[in-house]
Amino acid sequence: MRKLFKWRIIWALLPLTLGIGAWTSWDWWQRSSAPSQPTGANATQVEFRVPPGTASQQIGRQLEAEGLIRSSQAWNLWARWLQWQNPKGGFQAGTYQISPDRPLAEVANKIWRGQVVQQSFTIPEGWSLRQMAAYFEQQGYFSASEFLAVASQIPRDRFSWLPADIPHLEGYLYPDTYKIGSGRVTPTQVANQMLQRFEQVALPLYEQAKDRTNFNLKQWVTLASIVEKEAVIPEERSLIAGVFVKRLQKGYTLGSDPTVEYALNLRQTADQPLTYAQVNTPSPYNTYRNPGLPPTPIASPGMASLKAALAPEETPYLYFVARYDGSHVFSRTLAEHTAAQAAIRKQRQGG
């Protein structure tokens, strides 16, 4: 009985096997007999999208219509062969780069395995949620409002380390270059990926040093975000962090321009510095008016600023003012600081 059953299976699969072999051989012969068609690295790559839930027969018809395979019938035979080999498998949705010169089997295997084209996005260090939102909308991923709505939801069920009293994810979406699938990208997917990177890269740094710092997680990221916005020259990061820590210890206001810019959603320039009225505008984020750190981070700090906030330089300085080349003049007293400001202003005016 077992032998009889075995032979029945063989005879049942024989037409399929012969059919696949015939179609594959024919497909290979057709392609190899067309020398005018560019091949390999020189072949034109065509972007082919498989929407979720698309039947294998429909994929074959579309491939044939776009000239990426020669026969949808051969495709159907090969699809049956793949399904027989792996009953739990299937063609996967996504966007693929396919060359018209490639054999049918190679095209089918690529889509079966889900070898999709990957996209990437880059978030620079020091960007705020608003800047990220504008970038994602410009790239066509999703609207700025959709991203900001997701960033206002705290997924503490998945990322339990997130501070309990934050209204949004500002500061915790780690700045880096990310790769994502070629299908539809959602703001939740992006936010989770960036939170995972913070969890993998930044959180261990804090865990290793938290016994040596007086800052909790939120305070650490908040200070690092201000350092990120203030520092231009890498060598000054720890010194700037040291000035801020010293001011915090003495109960002084931080007097940081970037916190005012964040509060008012503007960016000062050398030609248009902050005005007296802007610096005195009430806001929880205005560190000229309010002592201590602002309520939340004001941007996403990178690794260098995160490290500087954990290891601030011991310094006699209490003040600093930016030159127009990105460096700063550091001062011990208010009188020195005022003189430095006047000198820089005079230099700017060409005096």
Side-chain angles (χ1 to χ4, degrees):
M1 288 293 293
R2 288 183 180 179
K3 288 185 178 181
L4 180 60
F5 181 69
K6 179 179 178 180
W7 279 106
R8 284 179 178 175
I9 293 177
I10 292 173
W11 282 109
L13 292 176
L14 186 59
L16 175 60
T17 305
L18 292 174
I20 290 171
W23 278 111
T24 305
S25 299
W26 177 82
D27 180 72
W28 174 85
W29 179 82
Q30 287 286 345
R31 294 178 191 280
S32 63
S33 64
S36 61
Q37 175 72 42
T39 60
N42 297 321
T44 302
Q45 293 280 315
V46 176
E47 191 170 275
F48 181 79
R49 185 169 183 270
V50 179
T54 306
S56 62
Q57 293 88 346
Q58 178 59 37
I59 296 172
R61 288 194 293 268
Q62 189 63 33
L63 285 166
E64 183 180 28
E66 296 188 24
L68 297 175
I69 62 172
R70 296 185 181 277
S71 169
S72 58
Q73 292 179 329
W75 170 272
N76 293 337
L77 283 171
W78 193 260
R80 289 171 62 188
W81 173 254
L82 289 172
Q83 193 69 57
W84 180 79
Q85 286 187 312
N86 183 7
K88 295 183 178 180
F91 293 110
Q92 300 184 40
T95 302
Y96 299 84
Q97 290 283 355
I98 298 174
S99 299
D101 72 307
R102 306 316 298 160
L104 181 147
E106 182 178 315
V107 174
N109 289 337
K110 174 180 281 193
I111 301 176
W112 184 270
R113 294 168 182 162
Q115 296 172 340
V116 297
V117 177
Q118 285 192 317
Q119 306 176 73
S120 66
F121 66 88
T122 299
I123 301 300
E125 298 169 348
W127 267 17
S128 66
L129 290 177
R130 288 187 292 249
Q131 288 173 296
M132 294 180 200
Y135 166 78
F136 287 127
E137 182 170 278
Q138 184 181 35
Q139 294 297 310
Y141 289 145
F142 35 74
S143 69
S145 60
E146 286 178 305
F147 177 76
L148 291 174
V150 168
S152 296
Q153 302 168 11
I154 314 302
R156 202 167 286 105
D157 57 331
R158 185 170 180 181
F159 303 98
S160 58
W161 49 266
L162 284 166
D165 55 344
I166 55 173
H168 43 64
L169 297 175
E170 189 78 86
Y172 304 98
L173 302 181
Y174 192 77
D176 208 340
T177 295
Y178 295 87
K179 290 185 177 181
I180 52 178
S182 61
R184 182 178 180 272
V185 182
T186 68
T188 299
Q189 175 188 355
V190 166
N192 285 343
Q193 196 169 4
M194 296 178 75
L195 286 170
Q196 285 175 344
R197 189 65 56 85
F198 186 99
E199 185 177 70
Q200 295 165 355
V201 176
L203 196 58
L205 183 69
Y206 178 75
E207 293 296 331
Q208 294 168 6
K210 66 180 180 181
D211 293 336
R212 305 191 302 271
T213 180
N214 294 322
F215 297 122
N216 60 33
L217 179 65
K218 188 177 78 167
Q219 292 169 334
W220 168 54
V221 179
T222 300
L223 175 59
S225 73
I226 300 173
V227 172
E228 185 68 61
K229 299 298 290 185
E230 290 277 15
V232 177
I233 298 176
E235 299 79 39
E236 292 186 348
R237 287 184 195 275
S238 294
L239 183 54
I240 288 173
V243 172
F244 284 141
V245 168
K246 190 167 185 177
R247 292 182 69 87
L248 288 171
Q249 291 170 344
K250 288 183 172 293
Y252 294 178
T253 59
L254 295 183
S256 172
D257 285 4
T259 64
V260 177
E261 296 176 60
Y262 183 82
L264 301 178
N265 191 22
L266 56 82
R267 183 178 182 180
Q268 67 173 325
T269 64
D271 296 323
Q272 290 186 315
L274 291 174
T275 65
Y276 181 80
Q278 289 170 333
V279 169
N280 282 278
T281 301
S283 167
Y285 287 91
N286 188 334
T287 58
Y288 280 94
R289 294 176 58 93
N290 307 307
L293 293 164
T296 70
I298 60 172
S300 285
M303 183 56 63
S305 294
L306 290 166
K307 288 181 176 179
L310 284 176
E313 184 175 327
E314 289 191 17
T315 174
Y317 301 124
L318 280 168
Y319 305 90
F320 61 85
V321 58
R323 295 188 181 97
Y324 292 101
D325 61 357
S327 65
H328 294 80
V329 177
F330 295 85
S331 303
R332 293 173 174 82
T333 66
L334 181 58
E336 290 179 2
H337 180 58
T338 302
Q341 288 177 312
I344 291 172
R345 217 166 21 243
K346 184 178 180 181
Q347 180 184 10
R348 175 65 183 171
Q349 294 167 356

